[in-house]
Each structure stands twice: as structure tokens, then as C-alpha cells.
Amino acid sequence: MKILVTGTAGFIGFHLANYLIKRGDEVVGLDCINDYYDINVKYNRLQQTGIDKEKLEYGKEVQSSKYPNYKFWKLNLTDKENINQLIENEKFDTVCNLAAQAGVRYSITNPYAYIESNIIGYINVLEACRHYNVKHLVYASSSSVYGLNEKMPLSTKQNVDHPISLYAASKKSNELMAHTYSHLYGLPTTGLRFFTVYGPWGRPDMALFIFTKAIINNEPIDVYNNGNMVRDFTYVADIVEGIVRVIDNKPKGNNNWSGLNPDPSASKAPYKIYNIGNNNPVKLMDFIDQIESKLGKKAQRNLLPMQQGDVPATFADVDDLVRDLNYKPSTSIQTGISNFIDWYINYYNVKL
């Protein structure tokens, strides 16, 4: 297939692009390479796929030096003219939109960044997909849409009308906008609610990265809600496998769907929502224990109250994923944390 992956300088987008390139798809990557976190990590991810930062120029195509079936564009999703032109010219089978302003806490202090990227940028992608005959739009949503929901495991059958961060609200908006386009224009769309993704090349603003760095440097770690947090940590390779299965299986619409008893995750239109999570929630303190075990060092734990925008627990119901795509994430936190720390030590040339 010919696939556009947005956000390929980012964590999940980088891993997805690698997978698709290596299985033989024709892949175009896109990223604006903003400075939300260390851009050197982003440039080094790009380098792994043969994209030299010295050749990057806004709005210009760069051919990978490693893979003939991969090229990259430095573009912002808010640039409607260039996004339209790219999608019109390339005639993609599938667009996988992983580019977004990420982070729950950052959305509290920088709300406009989320409207620009996650709403305005996203509508540009939707419009281009509609006008230029893209056959399937796959896009990143988030477990954060569950907000105040407390019934576990969190299911796509649940109503998600009580987000507690603007980031979560922007992702819920993406799902609603996708359904509108699926209904009005027959555009097949699939939204993926990711649950706490971690692994090699991860984001420096996320817990595993922050904890690992602090413990290595003998610095205290901030543990919110006094450590009474539970997360469905999901290894990045499992996330990518789920995305690829979704890419290969576009939704057709459910003729049995009823407006009298509406399933929020489906529709008569070609629209679907899936959770992608490990279906195995882990206590935050146990997660930290695993990092300590791998590093052979103890953390200095600074217990703090809950932060605004955070939820105490996540736990994914993945029954739909298993039923429709015969897939369930399975990587243990022991394996995932070990792989991340091995990468971190090598990447930063750490001497323990």
C-alpha cells in the first residue's frame, strides 16, 4: 500500500514507519519537528530511517538514504495548502494520523497548541482525505478520553463525555469529527485509543523516561497521588502491531447498529473505535520497582498529591480488538522496561 504516516519524528510514528517500510509498503512520513521536547531525539529517530536533518527544508521532500520506499516531508498539519497538495499528488491508500500535540499536563498551561494541532490540523487531514479519495483514515485517539469514567475495564461501549483535560477533549473531538466524515462522505475512519505507550525511543516527557533518568542521576522522582496510580502500560511494538492490523482492515459499517441503543464505538457508517492496551493494569509503585530492579539502583520517591488532568487508573477492554482483528497486546512490563533501559543506556552512553 501507499501510506502517509504523520508524526514520524515522534515516538509511535517513528516505530510505525519503520515497520511499514520494512514490510514493503510505500511510505511517506511527515512531521513539523516542534520543540515540545528535545528535538535531538526527533532528529535521531529520523536518522534511523535514513532522513538526514541537514537536508530538511520546510515544504520539501527528502528521500531516505536507507530505504527507497520511504520519503519525508517537514510540514505542519495546520498548513492546509501544502497538506492538500501532498495528499492530492501522492494518491495515498491510507493516511495514518499520529501527529498531534501530546501531553495531558502541557494542555493545562498551553491550551491553544492543542486547538491548532489537534483540531485545526486534524480537520485539514480530514478534508484532504475526503477530497482526494483516501481509502482509509486511521488516527490516534487516547485513553484519556475516558476522563471521569470509573467502571473498569474501560470499554469503547462506554459514554466518554467527561474529559478532564483539553488534550482529552481534543481527542474526543477527533472521534466525533471522524464519524461526521464517515457518515457524510463514506470515508472509512478508525480511531485508536492508546493506553500509556512506552518503549525504546520513547518521549522524554513520559514517566519511564523521567524515572530512568532521575534514578541513574541519583535524583528524586515525583510520584503523584502518593503512588496510588494504576496504568495499563502498553509496549510500543504491541501498539504498532495493532495499528498495522487496523490499517489492513478498514471498517465497513455495521448494518445492525441502532440509534435506539447506540454503540459509541461503531456506526452504520464505515467508522470504528478500538482500545489498544495491554489489558493488564500495573500499580505505579510496581512499575518503579521494575525500573529499580533493572538498573540495580533505588529511587528516591517524592510522594505528591494528584495532578490536575490525571486519572487514578486506566485498564483497557480489548475485546473488540481480539474479536475483529484477532490481536491482543502481550508484552510484559519486565520485558518492555528492560528493552527501554537497554536502549536508554546505549543512546546516552550511560555508565552504571
Side-chain angles (χ1 to χ4, degrees):
M1 283 194 285
K2 190 170 191 179
I3 302 171
L4 172 65
V5 180
T6 73
T8 48
F11 174 33
I12 302 173
F14 158 71
H15 283 282
L16 177 63
N18 262 298
Y19 186 110
L20 295 172
I21 293 163
K22 288 170 183 174
R23 82 165 187 175
D25 291 304
E26 186 178 349
V27 182
V28 176
L30 179 154
D31 205 294
C32 68
I33 318 178
N34 70 18
D35 60 359
Y36 168 61
Y37 59 78
D38 183 5
I39 60 170
N40 290 314
V41 174
K42 298 183 178 185
Y43 284 133
N44 288 331
R45 290 185 190 125
L46 290 174
Q47 188 66 49
Q48 294 292 307
T49 51
I51 304 299
D52 184 352
K53 75 173 184 177
E54 303 302 327
K55 294 181 179 177
L56 292 176
E57 186 179 343
Y58 187 85
K60 300 292 184 183
E61 178 182 291
V62 177
Q63 173 64 50
S64 168
S65 61
K66 289 173 71 172
Y67 303 110
N69 57 329
Y70 184 56
K71 51 194 179 185
F72 177 84
W73 289 76
K74 184 179 180 182
L75 271 184
N76 198 311
L77 292 185
T78 57
D79 184 347
K80 182 170 69 172
E81 184 176 336
N82 271 313
I83 294 297
N84 277 340
Q85 190 167 31
L86 174 64
I87 293 178
E88 180 182 17
N89 290 347
E90 294 286 353
K91 296 177 172 55
F92 296 106
D93 297 300
T94 299
V95 170
C96 189
N97 186 49
L98 302 180
Q101 180 57 59
V104 168
R105 293 164 193 162
Y106 189 71
S107 71
I108 293 168
T109 53
N110 295 273
Y112 286 98
Y114 292 77
I115 300 303
E116 289 168 9
S117 178
N118 301 6
I119 304 298
I120 296 171
Y122 184 74
I123 191 64
N124 288 342
V125 172
L126 275 172
E127 276 286 281
C129 287
R130 155 168 101 94
H131 285 295
Y132 304 117
N133 300 314
V134 169
K135 299 178 183 70
H136 188 191
L137 170 63
V138 178
Y139 61 95
S141 185
S142 167
S143 63
S144 68
V145 301
Y146 289 104
L148 293 176
N149 290 23
E150 294 181 5
K151 185 180 179 182
M152 300 289 166
L154 297 165
S155 168
T156 56
K157 303 291 189 285
Q158 294 176 20
N159 174 292
V160 287
D161 284 343
H162 298 90
I164 57 172
S165 69
L166 190 67
Y167 170 68
S170 74
K171 290 298 187 178
K172 164 72 172 173
S173 299
N174 288 173
E175 296 178 2
L176 296 174
M177 293 159 75
H179 183 265
T180 303
Y181 274 63
S182 294
H183 173 76
L184 289 176
Y185 310 115
L187 171 66
T189 66
T190 308
L192 304 174
R193 293 175 180 167
F194 299 144
F195 280 70
T196 317
V197 189
Y198 74 102
W201 292 99
R203 282 180 14 218
D205 63 317
M206 295 192 74
L208 178 54
F209 207 111
I210 292 168
F211 291 167
T212 299
K213 180 180 179 181
I215 294 168
I216 286 171
N217 294 332
N218 300 308
E219 296 167 355
I221 61 172
D222 290 339
V223 182
Y224 293 100
N225 201 31
N226 297 306
N228 296 315
M229 307 272 268
V230 177
R231 287 288 180 271
D232 205 345
F233 294 101
T234 313
Y235 190 60
V236 66
D238 289 348
I239 290 284
V240 167
E241 179 65 31
I243 297 170
V244 171
R245 293 200 184 204
V246 165
I247 286 172
D248 293 345
N249 291 273
K250 66 181 180 183
K252 296 181 174 64
N254 181 358
N255 290 328
N256 296 320
W257 189 90
S258 169
L260 295 172
N261 184 27
D263 172 0
S265 71
S267 176
K268 286 187 176 178
Y271 167 88
K272 190 71 181 114
I273 300 288
Y274 291 108
N275 286 336
I276 304 188
N278 210 43
N279 191 232
N280 184 29
V282 174
K283 292 177 181 176
L284 182 58
M285 290 304 203
D286 292 340
F287 191 73
I288 296 168
D289 289 346
Q290 287 293 328
I291 302 170
E292 291 176 335
S293 176
K294 173 68 177 178
L295 289 173
K297 297 182 73 171
K298 285 290 183 183
Q300 304 168 49
R301 306 184 191 199
N302 182 26
L303 301 183
L304 295 169
M306 182 76 104
Q307 277 201 315
Q308 274 192 314
D310 263 354
V311 297
T314 63
F315 176 9
D317 179 332
V318 294
D319 287 352
D320 283 5
L321 198 66
V322 174
R323 183 195 68 225
D324 296 350
L325 304 174
N326 193 30
Y327 181 65
K328 182 179 179 180
S330 60
T331 303
S332 69
I333 60 159
Q334 291 88 346
T335 299
I337 287 173
S338 180
N339 290 348
F340 170 80
I341 292 175
D342 286 344
W343 167 82
Y344 185 98
I345 287 169
N346 179 65
Y347 182 79
Y348 288 104
N349 197 25
V350 171
K351 300 289 187 288
L352 289 176

